[in-house]
Amino acid sequence: MRALFSLLSLPALAAAANLYVSHYNGNVYSLALTSIPGAQRRNEEAAAVNYTLTQTAALKTCGSMPSWLTFDASTRVLYCSDETGDSTSPGSLTALAASTDGKLSEIAKVDTIGGGVNNVIYNRDDGKKFIAIAHYEGSALSTFPLPLKSNTQPLQTFNFTLSKPGAVPSRQDAPHPHQVFLDPTGTFLLSPDLGSDLVRVYRIEPNSGSLKECPGINVTPGTGPRHGTFWTPGASSLRLRKQRRSLAETVLYIVGELGNKVTAYSVTYDMKSNCLGFNETQALYPYPNGTALPSGASVAEIRLEQPYLYISIRSDHAFPPNDSLATLQQNNTGGLSFQRLSSSYGTVPRTFAINKEGDLVAIGNQASSNVAIVQRDPHTGQLGNEVASLAVGDPGTVGAAEGLSSVIWEE
Ligand SMILES: *[C@@H]1O[C@H](CO)[C@@H](O)[C@H](O)[C@H]1NC(C)=O
Ligand SMILES: *[C@@H]1O[C@H](CO)[C@@H](O)[C@H](O)[C@H]1NC(C)=O
Ligand SMILES: *[C@@H]1O[C@H](CO)[C@@H](O)[C@H](O)[C@H]1NC(C)=O
Ligand SMILES: *[C@@H]1O[C@H](CO)[C@@H](O)[C@H](O)[C@H]1NC(C)=O
Ligand SMILES: *[C@@H]1O[C@H](CO)[C@@H](O)[C@H](O)[C@H]1NC(C)=O
Ligand SMILES: CC(=O)N[C@H]1CO[C@H](CO)[C@@H](O)[C@@H]1O
């Protein structure tokens, strides 16, 4: 009786989550995901929930090639990198105010080195924030103090050169930093450089917020490091927390877009040099039976929701016409084993993001230019059915810098 009463007395709640999308057509979009729990089975799994994904705003902004978004929840500011330009012609960085209903407005825009493909916010010790940008075509890394104003000057610019082309000369003609991300302590910044077969490592100076170069990781020639993520036993998952095992040190995972493998490194914090040490522990194709990806396919994004690691696979057509996401499982020292492929529900999944709850994944398919929302079982890590999909902007040609470039949750 009691259970029945509480079920009947529940209001029909509609929960909403905002997502932000950048598109190479020169727009940034806001989306809203609304969920209406099934009236009868309030506590049933997500399968019993109806989701609606709608576009709530579109703004022409962030130069001609918006490529990457970072949301600062404390200020409700979105930072957008523009991939326009190269080492001799500029790109840009735009700060946008995002209201809770998704409305977007420009706060400031500054010129940067060209080819910005990714950015990350970092702090110095007193809490002052900075943003670092990876410039792919610009062969550079730059940093700016925040908040961004129209007259903000870069704090630092690192221009990189390559003395000779790498193992894959068509893609390794020059340095091509593809991402910037932080270690779990927030005191080091890493940048996988696809062109140089190098993962660049910087220490964040605690008093100035400047970056100081540390020895990087020379990866196997022809790897083409694109994106990476750290694992530390400190931030433990459901399963690992339950086990309460003594766990290994920090592990770094890097995906290489040219070699199409994921490589794991054990990481040590060297107190003497104040830098990081790395030892390669594993390298595998994130594909069934550890076989190489089909010809023409390539890895793109990597995300960890421990003990599960997800890697998007572009143009493998594993779920025709759609591509796939690979799920790998970690053991308690961070060792990886392949679990399964699941559909990306679109073509060329350049980008994807897991929500905080861990029960939904937003997949940004570049060529089909849709955002697919897919269920995720937080316990088994399994990715399930698509619960919503929305076409955003125009589709792109496979292999061209067209279509949807990034998607993030507002969380
Ligand atoms: C979802 O929406 C459809 C159409 O409005 C409705 O028939 C169905 O009962 C809903 N499902 C749940 C679980 O509420
Ligand atoms: C880096 O290259 C850019 C573009 O060529 C140039 O404007 C800038 O002065 C260079 N910065 C440094 C620190 O070399
Ligand atoms: C790497 O492995 C070697 C050999 O096992 C060891 O001597 C060294 O300390 C390790 N370095 C790091 C940074 O883990
Ligand atoms: C974890 O996986 C790695 C890589 O496969 C393996 O070398 C290691 O023995 C595994 N550790 C445990 C405790 O199973
Ligand atoms: C491919 O993805 C689209 C878009 O989400 C979806 O409608 C379609 O059912 C998918 N096709 C297959 C075979 O999975
Ligand atoms: C040829 C082969 O070994 N295929 C196996 C690959 O792995 C899957 C499971 O991931 C098996 O079902 C196949 O039999």
Side-chain angles (χ1 to χ4, degrees):
M1 262 331 269
R2 195 191 152 93
L4 182 63
F5 177 77
S6 67
L7 281 174
L8 290 174
S9 61
L10 276 170
L13 291 170
N18 289 335
L19 296 105
Y20 300 103
V21 170
S22 61
H23 195 292
Y24 282 132
N25 69 3
N27 284 279
V28 173
Y29 300 90
S30 298
L31 311 184
L33 180 70
T34 318
S35 58
I36 301 161
Q40 315 226 318
R41 312 285 298 268
R42 178 66 175 76
N43 297 320
E44 198 64 339
E45 288 299 316
V49 178
N50 274 339
Y51 287 93
T52 317
L53 185 60
T54 51
Q55 186 180 308
T56 49
L59 185 68
K60 192 122 199 103
T61 184
C62 191
S64 56
M65 294 180 72
S67 63
W68 191 264
L69 297 169
T70 294
F71 183 65
D72 181 355
S74 67
T75 55
R76 296 204 58 88
V77 174
L78 270 176
Y79 294 94
C80 182
S81 281
D82 165 20
E83 207 175 320
T84 307
D86 50 30
S87 58
T88 54
S89 65
S92 62
L93 173 69
T94 302
L96 302 158
S99 61
T100 48
D101 63 2
K103 220 161 253 127
L104 301 169
S105 56
E106 257 186 45
I107 299 169
K109 182 179 180 190
V110 296
D111 274 1
T112 66
I113 303 268
V117 283
N118 189 268
N119 59 59
V120 70
I121 295 171
Y122 67 90
N123 285 40
R124 73 180 182 204
D125 266 11
D126 66 0
K128 183 173 172 60
K129 291 177 188 174
F130 299 84
I131 193 165
I133 306 169
H135 302 275
Y136 183 92
E137 276 303 326
S139 300
L141 196 158
S142 68
T143 64
F144 289 80
L146 298 181
L148 196 72
K149 303 198 178 94
S150 52
N151 62 353
T152 302
Q153 295 298 311
L155 175 69
Q156 282 176 298
T157 301
F158 299 90
N159 294 323
F160 307 124
T161 55
L162 204 55
S163 55
K164 60 175 187 344
V168 183
S170 62
R171 300 290 310 279
Q172 298 184 312
D173 55 323
H176 291 306
H178 214 306
Q179 188 195 22
V180 274
F181 64 103
L182 305 181
D183 80 315
T185 69
T187 53
F188 291 92
L189 182 145
L190 274 67
S191 182
D193 181 338
L194 186 148
S196 308
D197 276 329
L198 176 66
V199 179
R200 300 178 186 275
V201 179
Y202 298 87
R203 178 173 66 250
I204 298 165
E205 296 285 53
N207 298 322
S208 64
S210 295
L211 303 181
K212 190 107 185 189
E213 194 171 352
C214 279
I217 312 170
N218 286 303
V219 303
T220 307
T223 296
R226 177 185 172 99
H227 280 196
T229 187
F230 277 95
W231 173 66
T232 176
S236 52
S237 72
L238 291 169
R239 181 167 300 186
L240 291 170
R241 201 179 303 144
K242 271 189 209 137
Q243 288 179 343
R244 285 256 162 241
R245 298 255 176 91
S246 63
L247 294 157
E249 54 199 328
T250 302
V251 178
L252 168 69
Y253 302 105
I254 295 283
V255 283
E257 168 174 349
L258 305 179
N260 287 317
K261 284 187 178 174
V262 54
T263 306
Y265 300 87
S266 64
V267 183
T268 50
Y269 287 77
D270 186 335
M271 298 305 173
K272 235 189 283 160
S273 67
N274 215 350
C275 282
L276 300 176
F278 302 90
N279 263 347
E280 182 177 328
T281 53
Q282 200 183 2
L284 73 160
Y285 292 112
Y287 222 61
N289 314 90
T291 56
L293 273 60
S295 148
S298 67
V299 300
E301 188 60 280
I302 177 168
R303 299 278 186 186
L304 178 67
E305 190 62 48
Q306 57 189 64
Y308 302 101
L309 186 73
Y310 302 90
I311 295 171
S312 63
I313 315 281
R314 296 172 294 184
S315 299
D316 70 338
H317 316 304
F319 300 87
N322 298 330
D323 296 332
S324 67
L325 260 61
T327 304
L328 293 88
Q329 185 164 3
Q330 294 178 294
N331 67 17
N332 54 20
T333 55
L336 299 174
S337 55
F338 178 84
Q339 294 286 295
R340 66 184 77 84
L341 291 181
S342 57
S343 180
S344 71
Y345 294 98
T347 53
V348 189
R350 175 184 179 84
T351 165
F352 66 95
I354 302 168
N355 69 352
K356 217 173 243 166
E357 196 90 343
D359 62 352
L360 294 171
V361 181
I363 304 170
N365 289 292
Q366 183 179 350
S368 52
S369 204
N370 68 308
V371 172
I373 308 291
V374 169
Q375 288 177 337
R376 175 178 181 274
D377 183 324
H379 300 281
T380 65
Q382 191 150 354
L383 303 185
N385 292 328
E386 173 182 80
V387 295
S389 173
L390 184 69
V392 183
D394 314 311
T397 308
V398 175
E402 298 173 354
L404 190 156
S405 53
S406 77
V407 60
I408 54 169
W409 295 90
E410 180 200 297
E411 293 184 323

